[in-house]
Amino acid sequence: MGSFYFNDMNGTYNSFPYPKGSEWRKWDLHIHTPADVLNNQFKGRNSGEKWENYLSQIEKLDIETIVVTNYFCIDGYEETVGYWRKGRLKNIRLILPNIEFRISQPNREGDFINIHVIFSDYIPPEKIKEFLSRLPL
């Protein structure tokens, strides 16, 4: 098998960690953060407590990849990655950003329609923010 490399979120590329090739992995593709204005159900008396509870819950999960979801921004993704780089979330190998857009026109039942855009970890946050700045929201 040839050499494969993955981004370690610090801008460096390391050898592919799965020498057997394809293997099943557990991912959670929709995790909101305490930074999310429209979906902030996190308990705590202040922001620091909410983030600590959030991180502690993720650290209990038996998954390798999380996709951090925020409405219309990547603030929660950037903060989560910051904690990860400082040594939290040791059980997580990959964190991806997911921006959730809510369409203003509801469906027939009156429910809002949400569209999710999951970005690669190869795309720097600055590029994602540039993309967002060009959208007519």
Side-chain angles (χ1 to χ4, degrees):
M1 178 172 9
S3 297
F4 294 94
Y5 298 93
F6 73 103
N7 186 348
D8 72 356
M9 301 294 285
N10 289 315
T12 59
Y13 293 87
N14 296 308
S15 297
F16 191 68
Y18 308 113
K20 293 192 293 186
S22 296
E23 296 180 21
W24 287 100
R25 300 282 181 237
K26 291 182 184 177
W27 290 27
D28 189 327
L29 299 176
H30 194 162
I31 295 182
H32 283 274
T33 72
D36 208 328
V37 176
L38 295 178
N39 191 352
N40 186 344
Q41 74 277 4
F42 302 96
K43 306 240 186 291
R45 292 175 294 204
N46 56 47
S47 177
E49 243 181 56
K50 289 179 181 184
W51 274 97
E52 180 57 38
N53 292 335
Y54 164 79
L55 295 167
S56 295
Q57 289 300 311
I58 293 174
E59 289 169 334
K60 294 176 189 174
L61 299 175
D62 179 27
I63 59 176
E64 277 197 16
T65 297
I66 58 173
V67 179
V68 176
T69 303
N70 284 118
Y71 282 96
F72 311 108
C73 70
I74 59 168
D75 298 348
Y77 165 75
E78 289 182 296
E79 192 150 353
T80 302
V81 168
Y83 283 110
W84 184 66
R85 286 181 176 157
K86 291 177 186 172
R88 294 297 301 263
L89 308 174
K90 289 182 179 17
N91 57 317
I92 304 299
R93 291 185 92 154
L94 177 64
I95 303 173
L96 300 174
N98 175 21
I99 301 175
E100 186 166 356
F101 296 96
R102 180 170 284 174
I103 296 178
S104 60
Q105 179 65 42
N107 64 17
R108 281 184 248 170
E109 290 78 33
D111 298 324
F112 287 105
I113 299 168
N114 293 334
I115 297 173
H116 293 260
V117 180
I118 299 173
F119 291 88
S120 166
D121 59 324
Y122 291 100
I123 301 173
E126 297 75 33
K127 290 285 187 189
I128 298 171
K129 290 177 185 178
E130 181 183 325
F131 161 75
L132 287 172
S133 73
R134 294 177 183 202
L135 293 177
L137 299 175

